[in-house]
PDB file of all heavy atoms in Angstrom:
ATOM      1  N   ILE Z 292      -9.521  -1.283  -9.784  1.00 98.00           N
ATOM      2  CA  ILE Z 292      -9.919  -0.444 -10.921  1.00 98.00           C
ATOM      3  C   ILE Z 292     -11.201  -1.018 -11.518  1.00 98.00           C
ATOM      4  O   ILE Z 292     -12.181  -0.301 -11.764  1.00 98.00           O
ATOM      5  CB  ILE Z 292      -8.813  -0.407 -12.006  1.00 98.00           C
ATOM      6  CG1 ILE Z 292      -7.515   0.187 -11.443  1.00 98.00           C
ATOM      7  CG2 ILE Z 292      -9.276   0.399 -13.226  1.00 98.00           C
ATOM      8  CD1 ILE Z 292      -6.321   0.070 -12.401  1.00 98.00           C
ATOM      9  N   ASP Z 293     -11.197  -2.312 -11.740  1.00 98.00           N
ATOM     10  CA  ASP Z 293     -12.380  -2.980 -12.295  1.00 98.00           C
ATOM     11  C   ASP Z 293     -13.597  -2.754 -11.403  1.00 98.00           C
ATOM     12  O   ASP Z 293     -14.685  -2.432 -11.890  1.00 98.00           O
ATOM     13  CB  ASP Z 293     -12.080  -4.478 -12.433  1.00 98.00           C
ATOM     14  CG  ASP Z 293     -13.276  -5.274 -12.916  1.00 98.00           C
ATOM     15  OD1 ASP Z 293     -13.866  -4.886 -13.940  1.00 98.00           O
ATOM     16  OD2 ASP Z 293     -13.623  -6.275 -12.274  1.00 98.00           O
ATOM     17  N   GLU Z 294     -13.402  -2.887 -10.100  1.00 98.00           N
ATOM     18  CA  GLU Z 294     -14.540  -2.744  -9.188  1.00 98.00           C
ATOM     19  C   GLU Z 294     -15.106  -1.322  -9.216  1.00 98.00           C
ATOM     20  O   GLU Z 294     -16.328  -1.126  -9.230  1.00 98.00           O
ATOM     21  CB  GLU Z 294     -14.117  -3.119  -7.756  1.00 98.00           C
ATOM     22  CG  GLU Z 294     -15.300  -3.167  -6.806  1.00 98.00           C
ATOM     23  CD  GLU Z 294     -14.917  -3.679  -5.424  1.00 98.00           C
ATOM     24  OE1 GLU Z 294     -13.881  -4.387  -5.306  1.00 98.00           O
ATOM     25  OE2 GLU Z 294     -15.642  -3.364  -4.455  1.00 98.00           O
ATOM     26  N   VAL Z 295     -14.222  -0.321  -9.260  1.00 98.00           N
ATOM     27  CA  VAL Z 295     -14.711   1.063  -9.252  1.00 98.00           C
ATOM     28  C   VAL Z 295     -15.364   1.421 -10.593  1.00 98.00           C
ATOM     29  O   VAL Z 295     -16.372   2.134 -10.625  1.00 98.00           O
ATOM     30  CB  VAL Z 295     -13.582   2.046  -8.869  1.00 98.00           C
ATOM     31  CG1 VAL Z 295     -14.068   3.488  -8.965  1.00 98.00           C
ATOM     32  CG2 VAL Z 295     -13.110   1.758  -7.442  1.00 98.00           C
ATOM     33  N   VAL Z 296     -14.817   0.904 -11.697  1.00 98.00           N
ATOM     34  CA  VAL Z 296     -15.487   1.140 -12.990  1.00 98.00           C
ATOM     35  C   VAL Z 296     -16.898   0.551 -12.941  1.00 98.00           C
ATOM     36  O   VAL Z 296     -17.875   1.185 -13.377  1.00 98.00           O
ATOM     37  CB  VAL Z 296     -14.674   0.531 -14.156  1.00 98.00           C
ATOM     38  CG1 VAL Z 296     -15.501   0.530 -15.445  1.00 98.00           C
ATOM     39  CG2 VAL Z 296     -13.374   1.293 -14.356  1.00 98.00           C
ATOM     40  N   GLN Z 297     -17.013  -0.645 -12.382  1.00 98.00           N
ATOM     41  CA  GLN Z 297     -18.342  -1.261 -12.260  1.00 98.00           C
ATOM     42  C   GLN Z 297     -19.266  -0.453 -11.347  1.00 98.00           C
ATOM     43  O   GLN Z 297     -20.459  -0.315 -11.635  1.00 98.00           O
ATOM     44  CB  GLN Z 297     -18.224  -2.686 -11.707  1.00 98.00           C
ATOM     45  CG  GLN Z 297     -17.653  -3.704 -12.691  1.00 98.00           C
ATOM     46  CD  GLN Z 297     -17.616  -5.100 -12.082  1.00 98.00           C
ATOM     47  OE1 GLN Z 297     -18.594  -5.574 -11.525  1.00 98.00           O
ATOM     48  NE2 GLN Z 297     -16.458  -5.733 -12.155  1.00 98.00           N
ATOM     49  N   LEU Z 298     -18.724   0.049 -10.247  1.00 98.00           N
ATOM     50  CA  LEU Z 298     -19.539   0.871  -9.339  1.00 98.00           C
ATOM     51  C   LEU Z 298     -20.044   2.123 -10.062  1.00 98.00           C
ATOM     52  O   LEU Z 298     -21.204   2.516  -9.918  1.00 98.00           O
ATOM     53  CB  LEU Z 298     -18.733   1.283  -8.099  1.00 98.00           C
ATOM     54  CG  LEU Z 298     -18.512   0.213  -7.027  1.00 98.00           C
ATOM     55  CD1 LEU Z 298     -17.477   0.687  -6.004  1.00 98.00           C
ATOM     56  CD2 LEU Z 298     -19.830  -0.133  -6.311  1.00 98.00           C
ATOM     57  N   CYS Z 299     -19.162   2.758 -10.818  1.00 98.00           N
ATOM     58  CA  CYS Z 299     -19.569   3.968 -11.554  1.00 98.00           C
ATOM     59  C   CYS Z 299     -20.689   3.632 -12.526  1.00 98.00           C
ATOM     60  O   CYS Z 299     -21.664   4.386 -12.663  1.00 98.00           O
ATOM     61  CB  CYS Z 299     -18.383   4.566 -12.313  1.00 98.00           C
ATOM     62  SG  CYS Z 299     -17.165   5.368 -11.245  1.00 98.00           S
ATOM     63  N   SER Z 300     -20.552   2.518 -13.205  1.00 98.00           N
ATOM     64  CA  SER Z 300     -21.576   2.120 -14.175  1.00 98.00           C
ATOM     65  C   SER Z 300     -22.906   1.848 -13.454  1.00 98.00           C
ATOM     66  O   SER Z 300     -23.968   2.300 -13.885  1.00 98.00           O
ATOM     67  CB  SER Z 300     -21.070   0.870 -14.906  1.00 98.00           C
ATOM     68  OG  SER Z 300     -22.093   0.290 -15.652  1.00 98.00           O
ATOM     69  N   GLN Z 301     -22.813   1.148 -12.337  1.00 98.00           N
ATOM     70  CA  GLN Z 301     -24.020   0.817 -11.563  1.00 98.00           C
ATOM     71  C   GLN Z 301     -24.712   2.073 -11.049  1.00 98.00           C
ATOM     72  O   GLN Z 301     -25.948   2.157 -11.039  1.00 98.00           O
ATOM     73  CB  GLN Z 301     -23.564  -0.086 -10.415  1.00 98.00           C
ATOM     74  CG  GLN Z 301     -24.609  -0.486  -9.419  1.00 98.00           C
ATOM     75  CD  GLN Z 301     -23.970  -1.158  -8.193  1.00 98.00           C
ATOM     76  OE1 GLN Z 301     -22.847  -1.678  -8.257  1.00 98.00           O
ATOM     77  NE2 GLN Z 301     -24.678  -1.136  -7.065  1.00 98.00           N
ATOM     78  N   PHE Z 302     -23.934   3.064 -10.633  1.00 98.00           N
ATOM     79  CA  PHE Z 302     -24.511   4.297 -10.089  1.00 98.00           C
ATOM     80  C   PHE Z 302     -24.662   5.381 -11.168  1.00 98.00           C
ATOM     81  O   PHE Z 302     -24.967   6.527 -10.853  1.00 98.00           O
ATOM     82  CB  PHE Z 302     -23.665   4.812  -8.922  1.00 98.00           C
ATOM     83  CG  PHE Z 302     -23.873   4.035  -7.658  1.00 98.00           C
ATOM     84  CD1 PHE Z 302     -23.015   2.996  -7.296  1.00 98.00           C
ATOM     85  CD2 PHE Z 302     -24.959   4.309  -6.826  1.00 98.00           C
ATOM     86  CE1 PHE Z 302     -23.224   2.267  -6.143  1.00 98.00           C
ATOM     87  CE2 PHE Z 302     -25.163   3.590  -5.659  1.00 98.00           C
ATOM     88  CZ  PHE Z 302     -24.304   2.551  -5.322  1.00 98.00           C
ATOM     89  N   LYS Z 303     -24.390   5.002 -12.408  1.00 98.00           N
ATOM     90  CA  LYS Z 303     -24.601   5.890 -13.557  1.00 98.00           C
ATOM     91  C   LYS Z 303     -23.825   7.197 -13.456  1.00 98.00           C
ATOM     92  O   LYS Z 303     -24.347   8.285 -13.714  1.00 98.00           O
ATOM     93  CB  LYS Z 303     -26.104   6.160 -13.763  1.00 98.00           C
ATOM     94  CG  LYS Z 303     -26.905   4.883 -13.995  1.00 98.00           C
ATOM     95  CD  LYS Z 303     -28.323   5.157 -14.418  1.00 98.00           C
ATOM     96  CE  LYS Z 303     -29.192   3.883 -14.343  1.00 98.00           C
ATOM     97  NZ  LYS Z 303     -28.549   2.669 -14.899  1.00 98.00           N
ATOM     98  N   ILE Z 304     -22.572   7.108 -13.034  1.00 98.00           N
ATOM     99  CA  ILE Z 304     -21.687   8.274 -13.126  1.00 98.00           C
ATOM    100  C   ILE Z 304     -20.527   7.903 -14.057  1.00 98.00           C
ATOM    101  O   ILE Z 304     -20.304   6.722 -14.339  1.00 98.00           O
ATOM    102  CB  ILE Z 304     -21.178   8.776 -11.749  1.00 98.00           C
ATOM    103  CG1 ILE Z 304     -20.226   7.758 -11.095  1.00 98.00           C
ATOM    104  CG2 ILE Z 304     -22.348   9.111 -10.831  1.00 98.00           C
ATOM    105  CD1 ILE Z 304     -19.486   8.318  -9.876  1.00 98.00           C
ATOM    106  N   LYS Z 305     -19.805   8.894 -14.530  1.00 98.00           N
ATOM    107  CA  LYS Z 305     -18.767   8.678 -15.524  1.00 98.00           C
ATOM    108  C   LYS Z 305     -17.479   8.155 -14.900  1.00 98.00           C
ATOM    109  O   LYS Z 305     -17.060   8.621 -13.825  1.00 98.00           O
ATOM    110  CB  LYS Z 305     -18.439   9.988 -16.250  1.00 98.00           C
ATOM    111  CG  LYS Z 305     -19.636  10.621 -16.949  1.00 98.00           C
ATOM    112  CD  LYS Z 305     -20.205   9.730 -18.037  1.00 98.00           C
ATOM    113  CE  LYS Z 305     -21.403  10.385 -18.713  1.00 98.00           C
ATOM    114  NZ  LYS Z 305     -22.098   9.433 -19.611  1.00 98.00           N
ATOM    115  N   SER Z 306     -16.826   7.238 -15.585  1.00 98.00           N
ATOM    116  CA  SER Z 306     -15.552   6.678 -15.117  1.00 98.00           C
ATOM    117  C   SER Z 306     -14.472   7.011 -16.124  1.00 98.00           C
ATOM    118  O   SER Z 306     -14.635   6.787 -17.318  1.00 98.00           O
ATOM    119  CB  SER Z 306     -15.676   5.166 -14.961  1.00 98.00           C
ATOM    120  OG  SER Z 306     -16.140   4.571 -16.159  1.00 98.00           O
ATOM    121  N   CYS Z 307     -13.370   7.543 -15.629  1.00 98.00           N
ATOM    122  CA  CYS Z 307     -12.242   7.914 -16.490  1.00 98.00           C
ATOM    123  C   CYS Z 307     -10.971   7.288 -15.911  1.00 98.00           C
ATOM    124  O   CYS Z 307     -10.435   7.769 -14.915  1.00 98.00           O
ATOM    125  CB  CYS Z 307     -12.112   9.438 -16.554  1.00 98.00           C
ATOM    126  SG  CYS Z 307     -10.676   9.979 -17.499  1.00 98.00           S
ATOM    127  N   VAL Z 308     -10.514   6.194 -16.530  1.00 98.00           N
ATOM    128  CA  VAL Z 308      -9.349   5.465 -16.014  1.00 98.00           C
ATOM    129  C   VAL Z 308      -8.070   6.057 -16.597  1.00 98.00           C
ATOM    130  O   VAL Z 308      -7.917   6.129 -17.824  1.00 98.00           O
ATOM    131  CB  VAL Z 308      -9.429   3.968 -16.365  1.00 98.00           C
ATOM    132  CG1 VAL Z 308      -8.192   3.231 -15.852  1.00 98.00           C
ATOM    133  CG2 VAL Z 308     -10.693   3.347 -15.781  1.00 98.00           C
ATOM    134  N   CYS Z 309      -7.168   6.463 -15.738  1.00 97.00           N
ATOM    135  CA  CYS Z 309      -5.883   7.011 -16.183  1.00 97.00           C
ATOM    136  C   CYS Z 309      -4.892   5.868 -16.407  1.00 97.00           C
ATOM    137  O   CYS Z 309      -4.863   4.905 -15.645  1.00 97.00           O
ATOM    138  CB  CYS Z 309      -5.322   7.982 -15.144  1.00 97.00           C
ATOM    139  SG  CYS Z 309      -6.441   9.351 -14.804  1.00 97.00           S
ATOM    140  N   THR Z 310      -4.089   6.010 -17.448  1.00 97.00           N
ATOM    141  CA  THR Z 310      -3.137   4.959 -17.812  1.00 97.00           C
ATOM    142  C   THR Z 310      -1.805   5.594 -18.183  1.00 97.00           C
ATOM    143  O   THR Z 310      -1.730   6.795 -18.420  1.00 97.00           O
ATOM    144  CB  THR Z 310      -3.663   4.172 -19.026  1.00 97.00           C
ATOM    145  OG1 THR Z 310      -3.891   5.103 -20.091  1.00 97.00           O
ATOM    146  CG2 THR Z 310      -4.954   3.448 -18.682  1.00 97.00           C
ATOM    147  N   ASN Z 311      -0.767   4.757 -18.244  1.00 95.00           N
ATOM    148  CA  ASN Z 311       0.575   5.312 -18.438  1.00 95.00           C
ATOM    149  C   ASN Z 311       1.232   4.946 -19.760  1.00 95.00           C
ATOM    150  O   ASN Z 311       2.288   5.481 -20.082  1.00 95.00           O
ATOM    151  CB  ASN Z 311       1.487   4.885 -17.288  1.00 95.00           C
ATOM    152  CG  ASN Z 311       1.601   3.379 -17.157  1.00 95.00           C
ATOM    153  OD1 ASN Z 311       0.589   2.675 -17.173  1.00 95.00           O
ATOM    154  ND2 ASN Z 311       2.814   2.874 -17.048  1.00 95.00           N
ATOM    155  N   ASN Z 312       0.633   4.008 -20.494  1.00 94.00           N
ATOM    156  CA  ASN Z 312       1.218   3.662 -21.792  1.00 94.00           C
ATOM    157  C   ASN Z 312       0.179   2.950 -22.654  1.00 94.00           C
ATOM    158  O   ASN Z 312      -0.983   2.815 -22.241  1.00 94.00           O
ATOM    159  CB  ASN Z 312       2.497   2.820 -21.606  1.00 94.00           C
ATOM    160  CG  ASN Z 312       2.224   1.491 -20.915  1.00 94.00           C
ATOM    161  OD1 ASN Z 312       1.087   1.003 -20.899  1.00 94.00           O
ATOM    162  ND2 ASN Z 312       3.255   0.914 -20.337  1.00 94.00           N
ATOM    163  N   LEU Z 313       0.605   2.491 -23.811  1.00 95.00           N
ATOM    164  CA  LEU Z 313      -0.335   1.855 -24.729  1.00 95.00           C
ATOM    165  C   LEU Z 313      -0.928   0.583 -24.138  1.00 95.00           C
ATOM    166  O   LEU Z 313      -2.148   0.372 -24.166  1.00 95.00           O
ATOM    167  CB  LEU Z 313       0.389   1.550 -26.058  1.00 95.00           C
ATOM    168  CG  LEU Z 313      -0.409   0.766 -27.098  1.00 95.00           C
ATOM    169  CD1 LEU Z 313      -1.692   1.506 -27.478  1.00 95.00           C
ATOM    170  CD2 LEU Z 313       0.446   0.513 -28.336  1.00 95.00           C
ATOM    171  N   ALA Z 314      -0.078  -0.281 -23.592  1.00 97.00           N
ATOM    172  CA  ALA Z 314      -0.564  -1.573 -23.092  1.00 97.00           C
ATOM    173  C   ALA Z 314      -1.558  -1.404 -21.947  1.00 97.00           C
ATOM    174  O   ALA Z 314      -2.606  -2.071 -21.918  1.00 97.00           O
ATOM    175  CB  ALA Z 314       0.622  -2.439 -22.647  1.00 97.00           C
TER     176      ALA Z 314
END
Side-chain angles (χ1 to χ4, degrees):
Chain Z
I292 299 172
D293 176 52
E294 188 174 337
V295 176
V296 169
Q297 288 182 49
L298 284 169
C299 288
S300 168
Q301 176 191 338
F302 284 96
K303 301 189 193 315
I304 68 169
K305 302 298 180 190
S306 54
C307 176
V308 179
C309 302
T310 57
N311 59 312
N312 62 20
L313 175 59

